[in-house]
Amino acid sequence: MTGNHEPLLQMRDITKTFPGCLAVDNVDFDLRCGEVHVLFGENGAGKTTLVNVLSGVYPADKGDIYISGKKVSLRNAHHAQSLGISAVHQEFSLIPELSIVANLFLGQELGSHGLLDKREMGERAVTFMKNLALSFDVDLNEKIAYLTLAERQIVEIAKAFMRDTRIMILDEPTSALAETEKLSLFKIVARLKEEGKGIIYISHVMDEITGIGDRVTILRDGKKIDVLENREDITEAHLIKSIVGERKREIYPELGTEITNKVLEVNNLSTKSGLKDITFDLRAGEILGIGGLPGSGKSNVGRALFGLDKITEGEIIMSGEKLPKHLTPSDSLKRGLIYSPADKLEGLALCRDIKENQSLPVLLEKFAVRGFIEKAREIEAVREQIEKLDIKPDDMNKELQYLSGGNQQKVIIARGFLKGATIFIFDEVTRGIDVGSKIGFFELINKLAKGGAAIIYISSEIPELLHLCHSVIVMYEFSIFKQEDHKELTREKLAHYLFALEGRALK
Amino acid sequence: MMDRGRITTRSPLELLRRVGILPPLLIVLITFFNIQNPIFLSTLNVLNVIRQTTYLAILAMGEMLPLIVGGFDLSIGALIAFASIISTTVMKGGMGWYEAPVFAPTIMVVMGCSAAILASLGIGMINGSVIAYFKVSPFIVTIATMTIVGGITFIVSRGTNVFGLPDAFHEVLGAGTIGGFPIPILFMIGIAAGMYVLMNRSYVGRYFWAIGANVRAGTLSGIATRKYIILAYAISAFLAGISGVLLTARVGSGEMTLGAPLMLRAIAAAVLGGAAVGGGRGNIPGVLLGAFFITMMSNGMNLMGLGSFEQAIAVGFLLILAVATDQYLLRPR
Amino acid sequence: MKVKQWGGVMRSLTIKALTEVGILVPLIIGLIISFGIMNPLFLSLFNFKSVLTQTTYLGLLTMGEMLPLIVGGFDMSIGTLIAFTSVVTTMTMKMEIFADPTAMVILGILAGLLVGLGIGLFNGLIIAFLKVDAFVVTIGSMSICAGAAFVLTRGHPVFGLPEVFKTTLGKGEIIGGVSLPFLIMIGIAIGLFMLMNRTRLGRYWWAIGGNIRGAIHSGISTRKYTLLAYVICSLLASVSGVLLTARAGSGELTMGASLMPQAIAAAVLGGTAIGGGRGNVPGALLGAFFITMLLNGMNLIALGSFIQQVVVGSFLLVAIIVDRYLRRLRLRKEAEIWTID
């Protein structure tokens, strides 16, 4: 199934540096007609930079690009598009105040003599969305601002497919999609392949890579490590090995067995954000997984416990003490509960340094005497965390915007340590993070629990829920659908629960 | 592409990036003015520049805080006139609310100053509360309060300036000295020291910076972000009030048009001194330097015989030039 | 997956209508009724025409200011640009290069518009190409324009303009008592509306302000269109300056000082978002109309101009707060979680 061998795209010796960081280092990359070529590698390995160079977002410092054997120099995104390169980017490129139709045609509006042909665009958009066969029943004149995340991602994908494309770049296109929508997307990808187009696919999800990849190029630290040329070579084991390098180890650590007293009791909790009747207990030493499809409300459980979503009914009891109904983050922090949000950027002050970011939630409590900061004590504590968590770079005066995603995440975790928190809530802690760092996080979280902390682990990854957690709660339509112990759970059962199917075979 | 250019000329640019554009600009300007007119560097004139810096510096330190928390305060110019009119009106017996002088002149002066500064503080708290609680653009809110405060100032003054103030007011707060130091300068030094401690030694500064860099990070860290946003606008207005009172003491009468050009200059000083529009950056030494720079430029142009309108043009150009260099050449993007 | 849980269709429709047209329509109706009760003169045809004529200048300025706001910036310089334009126009007219006064008038107008073009290019180039903060740049050029106007005239108004200028562009009446300046404004409004809704220009402006990365990824030349927004803004301010000068009959240094905050207020009341991505011509015009009517009505009930200032400021505050609240109501549930903390 490896398409024909006609080279559609060749990238030679591509190098790109950013201030203080060599993002892509002399990388060669080929794409043939009719193949799905996966770019795989750790976060910060240079995948996104490489495709950004290809889609004309910024120029490479060095290197040549050939399309169908002809050398091109990409001036900007518009130029790249005119050469038939389309991209679904990680960060959404939609315009909130424009309608779906306007977004689909943005940059290539139809019309003549400078005047737009709105009716034609509307009709074409409707036909196009129908042919795409993604489940989507929103009025196409609705503004993007009023769509849900998943709906936006669908529009984003549709927009890229709308372009007359020879090379399609899909950079983590499925992060907000439900399972059925993913399947439809893969069908479209298959269709593109048949039409002889080239697809560059970036993903961290193993199943997707092994499922649709024809070839895989593996990047590490901006360099090309390996190319898996045959479909048979594309296996989970292989991929993980290539990422972890020589250090091959078990991904999920052994679960701790010492689960002691109840530290958190949630009774009939309902929130303004829509949660209904949530009840569960959490014990010291326990890792409690919370899973669910996008829009199932799983993130809201964490937000409600931390005081970010307004509670309408029910109670939260922490270590025997009933929490106030108008819970605020500072109430939760004071009692030793710390929350790491799904959107990393939500938690961090990017233009301030590591030190300030780490100590922010505990500044008053740990380092301030009558409101004045004891700098020596603060610096010492921060340095200790940087060493313990191996935060790179290890310069505490570095502004956070220069750190990779994984290291930014570590800064948030360091806050929990500084705080001496007893309850940690992690929401999608491994989203967009490379496999190597993931393993590090799993061990870290496991060690935390074994040390007596209680952990709520919110995730959309089935394997993580299955292997990392003692017990898993599955959310569906903002209620608990099922809670089950890890010993009884299987991959299939969990998948059934996620779609709220019980005892029926999953189609 | 830019990077390669940067590597070849690393050291000077690297140095420039660390200290900012202001110090070299300052040196160039001092040299230039001194060649134009040697009086420029005389002790008398330098002292004069420092004295003139006082009012702008206090104002700019205030304006820095809304900028740091990610907003603006456009009302500070109007607040100066407001403080001027309120303080003098109260000193003179307040629109017939009571017979003046009810108390000794000194007490009247204290009452007037306190009333003006507290009223300014109140306006600042209104600014901050609306911005923090209703999440309305600070630009709109402070432009609205600017209009409102301007209106109130005219209503209170009935359109005329206030003369005939107690002598103590001008003699002490305007022209007084302690141990040879002019009192306004002592005020500025005290406020600068206090603000420096607030920003760099207490948790409050950290909170301001964090909120400006990312409000949600502040919320997630358990900071009552609204409280600190209100505080930032309150301090800004409070300092504008102080600056207004000191300026009134210097000119010796309550003026309705006092401070109109100062708003622009205060923002310019804060921005030149490294406070970022959009939030998260800014520090006291930088802002003081910015205020000093602008005052020095006015002074130098005065010595060259150029009036305040030529100065307005120069301030405009320099502001754009400095920020453009800062944002375009020096900051990695 | 979609969440549609509105209590009633009516409520949803009301909110939708209010967020689309803004809260101006009910405000305007309320204002007309209350002023009409307080002073019946307010409802006379004569007064209505006078409000429309007065709307001309603020309307032009508001449409201009709307554009930088849409692309996510500001233009603080339009107020002093009016004065600068006024001074340059009148000084050029008095140069006596041609014997024919009409030719001099045209020359003067061209010079005034050239000033607008120049300042617009200056602002736009620095903001779009050097990526300097718009607030800082335009506050700088605000200072430059004010200074330049004073330096040119040494602080004195410019008198003695050709009569033809004052009569035609100042009080020129055409059909049914509608003034020429008003027709010019309407013409420009229609043109701008067509540009924004019938060509790609509007979409690109909304895109740049709404999500600049998205605009870049969609292949839009963001710098070009940002520049264009500032240039058109300054040009419209200059047109407004020329017309105001014709009406006042002299070149004035303080002209337009109070108009800048009013224009921003009108734009924002008319649904333009500070921060970018939202705003349209009918809204801007309604906003300008509202503010002009408010000032006119307060004049008729004999409120002092300083109390008027206070009232305008307060109206702005309240209207913005209500507008924000309504928009929050309309956001769908899941989106709300992500956009509002």
Side-chain angles (χ1 to χ4, degrees):
Chain A
M1 274 296 288
T2 331
N4 60 44
H5 281 242
E6 187 187 325
L8 177 57
L9 165 78
Q10 292 163 296
M11 297 174 84
R12 293 277 166 268
D13 297 331
I14 301 292
T15 299
K16 173 75 192 172
T17 50
F18 292 110
C21 154
L22 181 59
V24 172
D25 185 8
N26 267 312
V27 169
D28 288 354
F29 180 81
D30 291 321
L31 183 67
R32 298 168 192 153
C33 292
E35 77 161 348
V36 176
H37 194 151
V38 175
L39 273 175
F40 184 69
E42 301 182 285
N43 228 60
K47 307 175 300 269
T48 300
T49 310
L50 190 65
V51 296
N52 276 347
V53 166
L54 180 59
S55 53
V57 176
Y58 32 66
D61 299 342
K62 190 166 116 357
D64 301 317
I65 298 172
Y66 303 86
I67 293 177
S68 303
K70 237 176 73 194
K71 186 172 169 180
V72 293
S73 73
L74 299 169
R75 288 190 300 271
N76 50 40
H78 190 64
H79 185 212
Q81 270 176 25
S82 68
L83 293 169
I85 301 168
S86 287
V88 176
H89 290 282
Q90 258 176 10
E91 71 268 11
F92 290 166
S93 73
L94 303 176
I95 313 303
E97 283 296 322
L98 289 181
S99 70
I100 295 173
V101 178
N103 267 286
L104 288 175
F105 283 95
L106 191 66
Q108 46 165 31
E109 287 78 3
L110 303 178
S112 52
H113 311 298
L115 290 180
L116 298 174
D117 190 344
K118 287 189 175 180
R119 182 192 288 171
E120 175 74 19
M121 285 194 275
E123 282 167 5
R124 281 212 205 171
V126 171
T127 327
F128 178 77
M129 291 303 283
K130 250 189 217 127
N131 289 340
L132 215 51
L134 288 165
S135 55
F136 191 75
D137 59 342
V138 179
D139 178 5
L140 294 185
N141 289 315
E142 183 67 293
K143 285 180 180 175
I144 298 293
Y146 306 123
L147 300 187
T148 64
L149 271 186
E151 286 163 355
R152 289 181 199 196
Q153 189 152 36
I154 290 171
V155 177
E156 183 83 36
I157 291 169
K159 181 181 158 191
F161 283 120
M162 194 130 194
R163 269 62 184 162
D164 187 22
T165 299
R166 283 192 288 171
I167 298 167
M168 172 65 75
I169 300 165
L170 298 169
D171 190 351
E172 302 208 39
T174 57
S175 58
L177 291 191
E179 210 60 41
T180 48
E181 286 153 358
K182 283 186 195 172
L183 292 178
S184 318
L185 174 65
F186 297 151
K187 270 186 213 144
I188 303 170
V189 169
R191 209 162 66 206
L192 283 180
K193 270 173 67 169
E194 273 166 29
E195 291 166 11
K197 290 170 178 164
I199 296 112
I200 301 173
Y201 197 91
I202 297 179
S203 176
H204 289 296
V205 184
M206 290 291 174
D207 289 351
E208 293 179 8
I209 299 170
T210 54
I212 69 166
D214 294 314
R215 286 196 296 164
V216 179
T217 289
I218 293 155
L219 297 177
R220 194 195 298 158
D221 299 328
K223 293 190 184 64
K224 186 162 93 176
I225 299 298
D226 198 7
V227 182
L228 306 179
E229 291 282 355
N230 301 311
R231 286 217 62 159
E232 304 81 68
D233 296 337
I234 306 173
T235 60
E236 240 172 75
H238 217 117
L239 290 170
I240 287 169
K241 195 176 143 202
S242 70
I243 283 264
V244 184
E246 295 307 301
R247 306 161 280 138
K248 187 182 180 183
R249 42 181 171 170
E250 201 58 43
I251 297 193
Y252 297 100
E254 194 79 17
L255 281 175
T257 50
E258 196 135 318
I259 294 176
T260 53
N261 53 317
K262 202 194 282 179
V263 292
L264 184 73
E265 190 181 331
V266 179
N267 291 325
N268 308 101
L269 188 74
S270 298
T271 65
K272 208 179 164 203
S273 56
L275 288 179
K276 289 182 290 278
D277 210 16
I278 306 294
T279 301
F280 65 87
D281 294 339
L282 181 69
R283 292 167 188 282
E286 183 184 6
I287 304 176
L288 174 66
I290 299 184
L293 301 175
S296 63
K298 62 178 186 303
S299 291
N300 297 86
V301 177
R303 297 181 66 87
L305 291 178
F306 191 60
L308 291 171
D309 282 7
K310 212 179 218 165
I311 296 167
T312 49
E313 260 168 79
E315 56 177 13
I316 304 169
I317 298 168
M318 201 186 284
S319 307
E321 180 200 3
K322 190 168 179 272
L323 296 191
K325 197 167 175 193
H326 295 291
L327 192 63
T328 65
S330 81
D331 291 329
S332 306
L333 276 169
K334 222 181 286 162
R335 293 169 175 84
L337 183 150
I338 196 144
Y339 168 73
S340 157
D343 180 358
K344 280 188 288 274
L345 299 184
E346 192 179 343
L348 299 169
L350 289 182
C351 71
R352 305 307 302 182
D353 62 20
I354 297 179
K355 179 183 73 189
E356 288 185 17
N357 269 286
Q358 259 194 37
S359 57
L360 197 58
V362 293
L363 195 60
L364 260 186
E365 180 194 347
K366 301 277 178 187
F367 306 125
V369 177
R370 277 184 236 97
F372 293 98
I373 302 168
E374 296 204 328
K375 290 210 165 171
R377 203 140 57 89
E378 181 194 15
I379 287 171
E380 193 188 331
V382 168
R383 183 175 298 134
E384 192 185 312
Q385 294 305 329
I386 289 180
E387 280 162 17
K388 192 159 144 195
L389 289 164
D390 193 25
I391 294 174
K392 294 269 166 57
D394 58 0
D395 173 6
M396 69 173 73
N397 295 319
K398 200 86 179 167
E399 285 176 17
L400 234 63
Q401 53 191 329
Y402 302 115
L403 269 63
S404 70
N407 282 305
Q408 290 176 348
Q409 188 82 57
K410 285 181 187 170
V411 171
I412 296 188
I413 292 177
R415 288 177 177 174
F417 286 146
L418 279 178
K419 172 80 203 171
T422 52
I423 302 176
F424 290 76
I425 302 176
F426 294 110
D427 193 353
E428 301 283 12
V429 72
T430 57
R431 177 186 282 174
I433 285 193
D434 59 88
V435 177
S437 318
K438 266 186 196 172
I439 294 171
F441 276 121
F442 296 152
E443 284 179 352
L444 194 71
I445 288 163
N446 189 272
K447 221 160 69 191
L448 263 176
K450 281 178 179 160
I455 286 155
I456 295 179
Y457 190 85
I458 303 169
S459 172
S460 46
E461 301 281 317
I462 292 179
E464 291 182 7
L465 293 169
L466 211 53
H467 301 301
L468 189 70
C469 308
H470 291 94
S471 166
V472 177
I473 288 175
V474 177
M475 300 290 296
Y476 190 79
E477 290 188 340
F478 288 78
S479 309
I480 293 182
F481 180 73
K482 189 88 184 170
Q483 175 165 15
E484 204 156 286
D485 193 84
H486 76 110
K487 293 187 197 102
E488 279 142 43
L489 266 180
T490 63
R491 215 182 154 84
E492 288 69 33
K493 267 170 113 177
L494 194 51
H496 275 68
Y497 296 156
L498 286 175
F499 291 95
L501 302 166
E502 205 167 1
R504 271 192 289 152
L506 184 65
K507 293 238 164 71
Chain B
M1 305 270 267
M2 253 177 67
D3 289 275
R4 267 188 267 148
R6 197 175 286 154
I7 288 161
T8 52
T9 56
R10 189 176 206 106
S11 44
L13 255 176
E14 201 58 44
L15 188 70
L16 197 58
R17 194 182 302 161
R18 201 163 304 138
V19 296
I21 184 77
L22 205 49
L25 216 53
L26 208 58
I27 293 168
V28 171
L29 218 64
I30 289 176
T31 320
F32 173 74
F33 283 132
N34 204 46
I35 292 170
Q36 291 287 322
N37 190 342
I39 292 175
F40 187 69
L41 273 187
S42 65
T43 323
L44 197 69
N45 192 50
V46 170
L47 268 181
N48 192 21
V49 171
I50 294 177
R51 193 177 303 144
Q52 286 171 356
T53 305
T54 307
Y55 312 97
L56 181 61
I58 295 175
L59 207 58
M61 285 191 283
E63 179 67 47
M64 180 189 77
L65 293 180
L67 286 170
I68 286 181
V69 298
F72 298 108
D73 191 345
L74 298 180
S75 66
I76 54 167
L79 275 175
I80 288 198
F82 176 74
S84 181
I85 292 299
I86 296 287
S87 62
T88 50
T89 306
V90 171
M91 269 176 227
K92 289 207 63 187
M95 300 180 80
W97 292 327
Y98 48 88
E99 282 300 312
V102 186
F103 305 108
T106 326
I107 296 180
M108 294 306 295
V109 168
V110 172
M111 271 173 62
C113 296
S114 319
I117 293 170
L118 287 178
S120 302
L121 183 68
I123 302 282
M125 288 172 79
I126 293 173
N127 277 337
S129 305
V130 176
I131 291 163
Y133 279 94
F134 296 101
K135 306 223 164 61
V136 183
S137 159
F139 181 76
I140 289 294
V141 175
T142 57
I143 231 175
T145 45
M146 173 180 100
T147 322
I148 296 173
V149 165
I152 295 176
T153 306
F154 275 90
I155 293 168
V156 170
S157 69
R158 297 197 183 97
T160 52
N161 291 346
V162 184
F163 295 104
L165 305 172
D167 293 337
F169 185 45
H170 174 71
E171 280 164 13
V172 176
L173 288 179
T177 56
I178 297 178
F181 284 100
I183 287 180
I185 292 185
L186 292 178
F187 261 97
M188 179 192 69
I189 293 173
I191 290 171
M195 286 290 286
Y196 184 81
V197 170
L198 184 80
M199 293 308 292
N200 295 65
R201 292 272 169 259
S202 88
Y203 67 95
V204 180
R206 285 285 180 85
Y207 283 9
F208 283 151
W209 281 317
I211 290 168
N214 184 356
V215 183
R216 301 176 125 196
T219 312
L220 280 180
S221 301
I223 300 172
T225 51
R226 289 168 175 167
K227 191 170 109 189
Y228 292 94
I229 290 175
I230 295 172
L231 186 63
Y233 286 91
I235 295 178
S236 167
F238 177 73
L239 292 184
I242 292 182
S243 186
V245 166
L246 289 177
L247 208 54
T248 309
R250 177 135 180 264
V251 298
S253 59
E255 308 261 351
M256 289 176 308
T257 53
L258 209 58
L262 277 179
M263 191 264 286
L264 170 73
R265 291 181 177 205
I267 291 176
V271 170
L272 283 175
V277 178
R281 293 176 204 266
N283 59 73
I284 290 295
V287 170
L288 287 178
L289 206 60
F292 181 70
F293 175 81
I294 288 186
T295 316
M296 198 193 69
M297 203 178 71
S298 299
N299 174 277
M301 289 179 74
N302 271 334
L303 289 184
M304 284 168 66
L306 294 172
S308 64
F309 300 113
E310 284 88 349
Q311 290 172 25
I313 299 178
V315 169
F317 270 116
L318 263 164
L319 177 64
I320 296 174
L321 176 79
V323 176
T325 343
D326 228 33
Q327 292 189 349
Y328 185 68
L329 289 176
L330 303 178
R331 297 247 164 85
R333 278 162 302 146
Chain C
M1 204 173 45
K2 283 195 301 164
V3 191
K4 274 187 180 164
Q5 296 178 336
W6 293 114
V9 184
M10 273 316 288
R11 178 160 170 262
S12 151
L13 273 180
T14 318
I15 290 170
K16 190 164 180 175
L18 284 178
T19 45
E20 287 303 323
V21 275
I23 45 172
L24 266 183
V25 176
L27 266 183
I28 288 178
I29 295 170
L31 216 58
I32 289 177
I33 294 172
S34 40
F35 279 135
I37 291 170
M38 285 189 268
N39 187 345
L41 205 62
F42 182 76
L43 293 177
S44 67
L45 184 65
F46 174 78
N47 190 52
F48 182 69
K49 270 197 272 180
S50 136
V51 170
L52 280 189
T53 309
Q54 285 166 25
T55 307
T56 305
Y57 314 98
L58 187 58
L60 284 170
L61 218 51
T62 307
M63 285 189 287
E65 180 67 45
M66 175 185 75
L67 302 178
L69 289 175
I70 286 181
V71 296
F74 290 108
D75 194 340
M76 307 286 290
S77 65
I78 52 168
T80 54
L81 175 57
I82 286 187
F84 192 17
T85 306
S86 176
V87 165
V88 170
T89 303
T90 49
M91 286 177 80
T92 312
M93 277 180 200
K94 291 188 69 184
M95 273 184 193
E96 296 173 356
I97 302 172
F98 302 114
D100 181 9
T102 317
M104 284 319 296
V105 166
I106 292 172
L107 201 64
I109 293 172
L110 285 180
L113 297 184
L114 212 59
V115 167
L117 182 69
I119 294 291
L121 280 172
F122 177 78
N123 286 340
L125 285 172
I126 294 174
I127 292 165
F129 286 84
L130 301 185
K131 306 261 181 289
V132 184
D133 185 85
F135 178 73
V136 175
V137 174
T138 55
I139 224 174
S141 51
M142 169 175 114
S143 188
I144 294 170
C145 286
F150 268 91
V151 170
L152 280 177
T153 57
R154 290 281 131 211
H156 305 297
V158 184
F159 292 110
L161 303 179
E163 279 305 313
V164 86
F165 179 55
K166 290 188 259 183
T167 48
T168 325
L169 285 179
K171 353 182 154 55
E173 295 208 352
I174 298 196
I175 325 140
V178 181
S179 71
L180 180 60
F182 183 72
L183 286 181
I184 292 176
M185 190 269 283
I186 291 297
I188 289 177
I190 291 172
L192 190 61
F193 181 81
M194 295 294 281
L195 272 184
M196 292 186 70
N197 292 282
R198 290 277 171 267
T199 75
R200 49 198 76 189
L201 204 56
R203 290 187 173 196
Y204 289 1
W205 278 332
W206 285 313
I208 289 166
N211 178 356
I212 181 124
R213 303 185 76 125
I216 294 170
H217 286 172
S218 302
I220 296 170
S221 158
T222 54
R223 290 189 285 199
K224 193 170 91 191
Y225 291 99
T226 306
L227 172 65
L228 200 57
Y230 284 92
V231 168
I232 296 182
C233 169
S234 293
L235 271 177
L236 289 184
S238 279
V239 172
S240 180
V242 168
L243 294 178
L244 265 176
T245 308
R247 184 154 170 246
S250 58
E252 302 277 345
L253 291 166
T254 52
M255 196 177 265
S258 63
L259 283 176
M260 190 266 286
Q262 283 179 21
I264 291 174
V268 171
L269 285 173
T272 308
I274 302 245
R278 198 154 53 90
N280 56 58
V281 171
L285 284 184
L286 270 186
F289 179 68
F290 172 77
I291 297 238
T292 314
M293 201 184 65
L294 183 65
L295 293 172
N296 170 279
M298 289 194 293
N299 269 335
L300 284 185
I301 59 171
L303 276 186
S305 66
F306 305 122
I307 295 181
Q308 291 186 15
Q309 240 180 306
V310 177
V311 171
V312 171
S314 313
F315 248 104
L316 180 59
L317 267 188
V318 173
I320 296 302
I321 292 170
V322 174
D323 182 55
R324 267 210 79 101
Y325 179 72
L326 285 172
R327 289 186 67 77
R328 268 162 83 152
L329 283 185
R330 197 186 157 188
L331 287 171
R332 288 224 233 130
K333 219 165 204 173
E334 196 179 339
E336 183 174 18
I337 297 161
W338 291 85
T339 38
I340 291 167
D341 54 323

